Amino acid sequence: MTADIYSRIRQAAFELVAEGAWPTVVDVRARLGSGSNTTINNTLKTWRQEFLSKVAVSSRRPDWPPRAGRSL
């Protein structure tokens, strides 16, 4: 059951992003109908780090040399 809440929080976060909203504890809790603010917050912190790192990697230009993407 515990692992289920984490997957439900992550799913709610993905759904909110797909709808154009950045997931907050309040929004995720409202979508789930219940849940501990601490559990949601801690899970969202991890989710955000993973999500933003995936976005950063996917937005790199593979056809540019590595140094071209760095600012001076």
Side-chain angles (χ1 to χ4, degrees):
M1 179 79 165
T2 303
D4 182 53
I5 189 63
Y6 299 117
S7 63
R8 290 177 54 216
I9 292 168
R10 295 171 62 79
Q11 182 61 38
F14 280 120
E15 290 171 3
L16 285 161
V17 167
E19 295 168 7
W22 188 244
T24 65
V25 172
V26 173
D27 293 335
V28 170
R29 190 168 196 273
R31 184 157 297 221
L32 296 177
S34 66
S36 159
N37 285 344
T38 302
T39 300
I40 295 170
N41 184 51
N42 291 341
T43 305
L44 279 179
K45 281 182 186 178
T46 302
W47 178 86
R48 286 181 188 121
Q49 290 172 342
E50 293 169 0
F51 180 81
L52 291 174
S53 95
K54 287 179 185 175
V55 169
V57 168
S58 69
S59 65
R60 290 188 186 139
R61 294 285 312 252
D63 54 328
W64 286 0
R67 296 188 60 86
R70 296 183 191 158
S71 54
L72 300 174

